[in-house]
Amino acid sequence: MTTITNVSLVTVYVTDQTESKQWYIDKLGFVERSDITMGDNGFRWVTVVQPDHRELEVTLMVPGPPLTDDLAEAIRRSMANGTHGALGLRTENCQKAFEELTAKGVEFIQPPAERPYGVEAIIRDNSGNWLVLVENREFDPGKGDFGPQ
């Protein structure tokens, strides 16, 4: 029996792979893992990683094949509306990360806020994706805001 050891790849849909790769590197401190053009159709495989956790690659992919045209268009609309969720990112200090990232020009759609599971802020990347930034703590169901009721 084969045992799965960890998640190694996640996909974030983007509008432009070159611009998004630079945004994740310049703004969030990721590093390039791969940028390869394959095949006759010019398919481009672009991945970035967080330097301290290289086991998880983030693929920056333009919506298109192998997705259906309808699904690719729905993802593009969701990104354009700024409502497409992408990643959860962990930090040791959400307020400090907020200040550092704001200074780099990162757009926050929600500043750090107390939640029962920690402190959470929400970033919008340069393609319109939501990235949740979380300073985790042990869950306390009696503390914090669970969002709209």
Side-chain angles (χ1 to χ4, degrees), residues 73-143:
E73 179 55 31
I75 291 170
R76 285 191 289 274
R77 277 194 318 272
S78 180
M79 288 189 307
N81 292 335
T83 58
H84 194 75
L87 293 175
L89 304 170
R90 182 173 290 177
T91 182
E92 295 297 317
N93 184 322
C94 195
Q95 184 61 44
K96 182 177 179 184
F98 171 77
E99 292 165 6
E100 290 173 355
L101 294 173
T102 298
K104 289 182 174 185
V106 173
E107 177 188 358
F108 279 81
I109 56 176
Q110 175 193 296
E114 289 286 333
R115 300 287 185 246
Y117 47 83
V119 180
E120 171 190 85
I122 301 176
I123 298 168
R124 180 170 288 135
D125 76 6
N126 67 322
S127 292
N129 294 301
W130 284 28
L131 309 177
V132 179
L133 184 64
V134 178
E135 174 188 336
N136 284 348
R137 67 171 62 111
E138 191 169 327
F139 179 70
D140 180 354
K143 181 178 182 182

Side-chain angles (χ1 to χ4, degrees), residues 34-59:
S34 60
D35 190 340
I36 304 164
T37 302
M38 300 183 283
D40 296 335
N41 64 357
F43 178 82
R44 190 168 168 207
W45 181 257
V46 178
T47 65
V48 294
V49 296
Q50 202 282 330
D52 295 331
H53 295 282
R54 294 175 179 265
E55 70 277 6
L56 178 59
E57 292 182 73
V58 177
T59 304

Side-chain angles (χ1 to χ4, degrees), residues 13-28 32 35 44 46 48 60-62 125-129:
Y13 289 104
V14 299
T15 55
D16 182 289
Q17 288 173 300
T18 300
E19 289 177 9
S20 292
K21 178 177 74 169
Q22 277 314 126
W23 190 90
Y24 277 80
I25 290 169
D26 295 344
K27 304 295 185 185
L28 300 185
E32 179 181 313
D35 190 340
R44 190 168 168 207
V46 178
V48 294
L60 303 173
M61 186 77 62
V62 175
D125 76 6
N126 67 322
S127 292
N129 294 301

